Amino acid sequence: MTTAPALRGPGAAAPAAVPGPARRRSPFAVLALCWLVVLFDGMDVNVYGAVMPRMLADPGLGLTPATAGTVGSWTTFGMLIGALAAGNLTDWTGRRPVITGCTLLFSAGSALCAAAPGIEAFGLGRFVAGLGLGGVMPTCLSMVMEFAPGARAALTAGALMTSYHVGGMLATVLGLTLAPDSGWRLVFWAGALPALVAVPLLLRLLPESPAVLLAKGRTAEAETLARAYGLRPPHAATAPATGARARWHTALALLRGPGRRSTPLLWAASFCGLLLVYGVSTWLPQLMRAAGYGPTSSVSFLLVINAGGIVGMLVAGRVATRFGAARVSAVWFLLTAAGALLLAVRLPLPVTYVIVAVTGVWLFSAQVMVYATVPALYPAPQRAAGLGWATGIGRLGAVVGPALGGAVVAHGAQQWAFATFAAAGLLGALTIHLAGRTPCPSDTSTSSIPR
């Protein structure tokens, strides 16, 4: 009995023929592995906000509200660089090594934060973690959407992103249980666990992307792997552009091709969405504490908003499959803006918990539905680039969000932070609504996400 050939390194030549049938594998395994990685991603992103009140109270660290916002932006600046570098690294090594390497990188960054003697070393650790976090999210998202194509794209994206919020809840639990007795450093040591838990599983079980294999000229391997997972064989139209020059020409095509009217609107919506996601994740506990809530309640709000985010991901994916990702994203942004305005008002604690929870339902999935709009806006050859550039430009919002929150808190104007978040929600709703009104004229019939 013959078997399919094993995947080879980047320099190996593709065989002339592939002997024998491929053993059938479940695409669910790819989703499960990426789900685990993004869980640790969410834990790492949210842990800073979960322990920030205790870090501000640590005189030996030297953290202030102003520098806290700057450190938060160092993280997201690292994420911006990581997201932009991930494409070139994928060209050289493939998506599987990029996901594995990024997981190791943000684990190392968390360990550096835990051991940091002062704020400069801590900031360096957050920057290093950001490099890994920035590369792992778009690569995992591209991977799971490739292995679950068609009408399930929005649902799959939503399912993947539930893990981000499970990770956020885990970070909050660690902040509430470990930090009071053992200090904030132990929570960051827990952030080094992905290197021990996830990386061995990725090396053993995660396959390479068929589209990337095709782009690297390994056509036979790409077709064998696609058959093994029950996918349509990849073809040149779905292969991502390789090389910095090719990627740059692809970006220009986004501004000149059929989706040119939607591209700047999509980028603006992604910017607003990630400004909200990272601004709120970083500053919600401190903002609520400044509003008069106790330290335990303030941190637990982060747990509640991530719980709402899980519900939102499950709901948004199903609703978008029926009504369209752009419409759902626009409505979700509007509801997020309303929730942010309500949080600026001092209300009884049970009511505030409810508002935080429902805001979480809308906030995080509004951004994911921006990504799920991409298939309706571009023809097949441009979709990978459309998604990559939307996530990359959006990272600028992730840099601005924490710094903006820090500047507002440093000046004692916490209520203006909520107003700023509400304005970002309104702008996000407008831009994604306008983007959804101009779908790709040449490819709407085959779009996996209805407008």
Side-chain angles (χ1 to χ4, degrees), residues 87 103 158 165 174 275 384 406:
T103 304
H165 303 290
L174 291 174
L275 185 152

Side-chain angles (χ1 to χ4, degrees), residues 64-88:
T64 67
T67 57
T70 302
V71 169
S73 291
W74 288 349
T75 311
T76 51
F77 183 64
M79 294 173 72
L80 173 62
I81 296 175
L84 294 176
N88 286 328

Side-chain angles (χ1 to χ4, degrees), residues 255-313:
L255 297 169
R256 297 171 179 170
R260 62 187 179 278
R261 296 179 181 176
S262 299
T263 294
L265 296 168
L266 184 72
W267 290 356
S270 182
F271 176 92
C272 292
L274 285 179
L275 185 152
L276 283 165
V277 167
Y278 288 96
V280 171
S281 296
T282 301
W283 284 106
L284 181 63
Q286 188 62 25
L287 287 172
M288 301 308 284
R289 189 170 185 181
Y293 297 95
T296 300
S297 297
S298 298
V299 175
S300 64
F301 285 131
L302 200 58
L303 179 70
V304 171
I305 201 168
N306 277 290
I310 294 174
V311 176
M313 293 299 172

